[in-house]
Amino acid sequence: MKQAIKTLLIGGSMLAATSAHAELETEIHAGYHSIYEFRGIDFGDDLYEAGIDLSYDLGGGFALSGGIWYADSNGDNDGDFEEVDYYIDLTKTLGPVDLSVGYTYYAFPGDDGAKTDEVYIGISHELECGLGLSLTYYKDIDDFQAEYLEFEATKSYELSPCLSLDLSVGAAWSFDYNSDTNGDPLDGFNHYFVSVALPYSIAENMTLTPYVKFVGADSDLGNDYDDGSSSDLFYGGVSLSYAF
């Protein structure tokens, strides 16, 4: 579920560039989020997370990245919830677009060793105006055997040499991935979202990023993990990252 957190923190997050001469880029990060929202679902309050990301330029337009992400939250409000994600991504630049394929292993240590596997493929492009567009298709190949599709548009504005305003809007579709309010598989529109982040460079290679996010759930989406009801979500959080 690391990818969901990653999309919140556009400019101040994950895989930040280090030295112009370095082929291997490393970043460590930690954050707090008032709700653990993943693909439109509210999994509980007070998410604390941390991780490390690595990225390597393979040359020829190929880039390899991966990392580990750990999270702890109140889960479904009945007790603590732990998650560890391991992920790897291969991206190829083809002219004006980037094509990505990746794999994520989700492990839940506190849930009797529960786990699942997911693969994805995505395409992204940045317009001349600086607007970034991406479309990503996810396929669970283990526990759920279901698909999820998400479109996102991002735009960053430099407010000062050390402060940016990052905007993100998007929409997602569930193909039996989530459940509806009756507990049946949801096949169709899942939710839309809008997020605003303010990455602030507090030191060399260190960024503090507060954000807020609104999730507009489809009326058929049972996005309250505790009781299966449908409701819109509004929450915020902050992340601290350091690249070296």
Side-chain angles (χ1 to χ4, degrees):
M1 302 183 184
K2 154 74 158 55
Q3 291 295 326
I5 303 299
K6 182 175 179 179
T7 60
L8 294 174
L9 310 172
I10 309 163
S13 71
M14 309 306 130
L15 305 182
T18 56
S19 167
H21 302 288
E23 291 182 320
L24 177 65
E25 300 173 2
T26 305
E27 182 172 293
I28 56 175
H29 50 87
Y32 167 79
H33 313 273
S34 59
I35 291 177
Y36 186 4
E37 178 259 329
F38 179 67
R39 297 179 181 170
I41 305 298
D42 178 358
F43 284 95
D45 299 331
D46 299 323
L47 172 69
Y48 298 89
E49 50 91 9
I52 182 169
D53 295 286
L54 304 172
S55 180
Y56 188 78
D57 185 356
L58 299 174
F62 285 96
L64 182 67
S65 61
I68 303 173
W69 184 73
Y70 171 80
D72 186 286
S73 79
N74 287 335
D76 61 359
N77 299 314
D78 291 331
D80 289 337
F81 173 89
E82 288 185 279
E83 178 182 342
V84 183
D85 297 350
Y86 306 87
Y87 44 91
I88 189 168
D89 176 281
L90 179 65
T91 297
K92 167 65 174 177
T93 299
L94 293 173
V97 301
D98 290 338
L99 297 178
S100 299
V101 293
Y103 164 80
T104 303
Y105 176 83
Y106 300 97
F108 306 94
D111 192 13
D112 296 326
K115 57 88 176 177
T116 194
D117 302 85
E118 180 181 81
V119 295
Y120 66 85
I121 182 170
I123 183 170
S124 61
H125 171 66
E126 183 174 318
L127 302 177
E128 291 186 4
C129 63
L131 180 66
L133 304 174
S134 64
L135 184 67
T136 309
Y137 166 81
Y138 301 89
K139 168 69 174 178
D140 189 287
I141 56 174
D142 186 2
D143 192 30
F144 300 113
Q145 292 291 324
E147 297 89 40
Y148 180 87
L149 180 69
E150 184 171 284
F151 167 79
E152 184 177 22
T154 62
K155 175 69 175 178
S156 182
Y157 298 91
E158 183 177 317
L159 303 181
S160 75
C162 60
L163 181 66
S164 299
L165 171 66
D166 291 352
L167 306 176
S168 173
V169 298
W173 290 261
S174 169
F175 302 98
D176 297 337
Y177 186 88
N178 287 322
S179 299
D180 63 21
T181 52
N182 295 318
D184 299 319
L186 177 66
D187 188 12
F189 184 70
N190 197 79
H191 72 285
Y192 70 91
F193 61 88
V194 180
S195 70
V196 180
L198 287 169
Y200 178 69
S201 179
I202 58 178
E204 185 177 3
N205 295 333
M206 182 177 291
T207 304
L208 183 71
T209 307
Y211 76 92
V212 292
K213 182 177 181 180
F214 174 78
V215 174
D218 185 82
S219 59
D220 290 331
L221 174 65
N223 68 332
D224 188 319
Y225 188 80
D226 198 29
D227 62 16
S229 62
S230 180
S231 61
D232 296 337
L233 306 175
F234 182 75
Y235 65 98
V238 63
S239 175
L240 179 66
S241 62
Y242 179 70
F244 59 93

